[in-house]
Amino acid sequence: MLIAVAGYLVVQYVNGGASPTCTVVSGKDDGQSYDFSPEQAVNAATISAVGTTRDMPERAVAIALATAIQESGLRNISHGDLDSLGLFQQRPSQGWGTKQQILDPTYAASVFYEHLAKIPDYQKLPLTEAAQEVQRSGFPEAYAKHEPDATLLAAALTGHSAATLTCEGRQATTATDGPDAVRAALVRDFGPAVLRTAGAEVKVRKVRTETDAAGSASGTARVSPTDGAAASSPSPSPSPSASPAVGSVTIPVPKKSSGSGTARQRGWELAHWAVANSAALHIAQVSYAGREWARGNYETEWSGGSAGGRSAAEVRIVTGP
């Protein structure tokens, strides 16, 4: 037994730990923090993005996040009490949607906000009461204990607190790679306008294949933000055995942000969203406003100092194998 335990610890040391983690810290230097998994990070980022896209305030995002932490542990589970499903344990029999719809995190978050918005003065209610008005749970006080963690998450994911969310970024076994996957996930969570109105472009730099090594030059493909098709492709398509494409997604941040947030807040919202999705989407680096996050088992904090100019006008997401 001791040999087995020792072997396990060696494997965990080599791999940097069994469970890659994400951490969000307070922007107030009060020592508060919350650790969560990459799976939870993706779902939290979706919940926040859906909320801000609906012009819901940060308080609404905190209520939604606290609810999902209580109901499912921020996991999109396909079971629950009676016919409850998904992040918010919504029930098809109670009119929340079909099973397929409820198991879509974007839909589940959207319908939660739809119900929350109908509650008069919900922002003035205690968080647990606002959540209970939507959920009608048998444990109406259960949401209160998650308020501190949900508040930290909401501040980071809405961009209110800059450079406060980090992840180890190690790839998930089912990760989807490449800039196209990043674009698809952005549209999934924020809607098509996140790319179309910002005039975002995707530049794909193909990694060297065996053919490249023999002397074929690699090139650059520019992908249209509206139809996703390559406008030009100077280099040959990689062979089936080639490594995943390495590329970058650059998202200009408009000078005036939609909703109640500032442009810089919007930039940090997109940057933190990218970090939260780093394991699932093979994201290796995120840069914004003179700060940079890079994938790694240990060095996961944002580096660099604040800067203005062009660095605050765009979020750059780099993908890699």
Side-chain angles (χ1 to χ4, degrees):
M1 182 179 295
L2 291 174
I3 293 173
V5 171
Y8 173 82
L9 293 175
V10 169
V11 170
Q12 300 315 306
Y13 177 80
V14 172
N15 292 332
S19 300
T21 58
C22 298
T23 300
V24 61
V25 298
S26 172
K28 301 177 182 178
D29 291 329
D30 53 14
Q32 293 188 57
S33 65
Y34 174 55
D35 295 328
F36 51 117
S37 71
E39 175 191 3
Q40 293 170 307
V42 171
N43 290 326
T46 293
I47 290 171
S48 179
V50 172
T52 58
T53 300
R54 294 176 65 96
D55 288 332
M56 300 294 282
E58 185 179 329
R59 176 65 172 173
V61 174
I63 294 169
L65 289 168
T67 302
I69 293 173
Q70 168 60 28
E71 296 290 356
S72 67
L74 278 174
R75 294 178 174 86
N76 192 28
I77 53 179
S78 59
H79 59 274
D81 183 45
L82 300 176
D83 60 337
S84 299
L85 300 165
L87 290 172
F88 297 92
Q89 289 292 279
Q90 295 155 336
R91 299 179 60 189
S93 65
Q94 300 302 306
W96 285 93
T98 66
K99 177 179 179 179
Q100 183 178 6
Q101 287 175 322
I102 292 172
L103 288 175
D104 175 356
T106 303
Y107 171 89
S110 184
V111 74
F112 177 89
Y113 288 120
E114 182 180 328
H115 283 72
L116 180 64
K118 295 177 181 178
I119 300 170
D121 296 324
Y122 72 86
Q123 293 192 67
K124 299 179 181 179
L125 294 176
L127 181 146
T128 195
E129 290 184 18
Q132 174 64 5
E133 285 291 321
V134 177
Q135 297 295 105
R136 302 296 180 181
S137 169
F139 304 93
E141 301 300 322
Y143 306 103
K145 63 180 177 286
H146 302 296
E147 183 168 0
D149 294 335
T151 300
L152 287 180
L153 270 176
L157 290 170
T158 61
H160 182 79
S161 294
T164 53
L165 190 151
T166 61
C167 290
E168 290 181 357
R170 280 181 282 149
Q171 299 170 11
T173 56
T174 57
T176 303
D177 63 82
D180 284 344
V182 173
R183 289 179 65 253
L186 280 164
V187 171
R188 174 198 70 200
D189 286 358
F190 292 98
V194 70
L195 296 179
R196 185 175 61 246
T197 59
E201 67 178 26
V202 179
K203 297 179 180 178
V204 181
R205 177 173 58 84
K206 291 183 170 59
V207 297
R208 291 175 59 83
T209 65
E210 293 178 2
T211 302
D212 291 328
S216 176
S218 60
T220 300
R222 187 176 299 274
V223 181
S224 165
T226 55
D227 60 18
S232 61
S233 182
S235 62
S237 298
S239 65
S241 61
S243 301
V246 176
S248 64
V249 180
T250 301
I251 311 172
V253 178
K255 294 181 179 180
K256 292 185 178 180
S257 177
S258 60
S260 57
T262 64
R264 186 171 285 258
Q265 184 173 334
R266 175 64 166 178
W268 278 112
E269 176 183 14
L270 292 166
H272 282 156
W273 176 93
V275 173
N277 281 273
S278 58
L281 297 174
H282 283 183
I283 292 172
Q285 181 181 319
V286 181
S287 304
Y288 178 64
R291 308 292 296 275
E292 180 181 293
W293 170 91
R295 180 174 62 202
N297 290 341
Y298 307 106
E299 299 295 330
T300 58
E301 283 112 12
W302 288 84
S303 62
S306 60
R310 186 63 182 167
S311 65
E314 61 186 27
V315 175
R316 187 169 184 265
I317 303 170
V318 178
T319 63

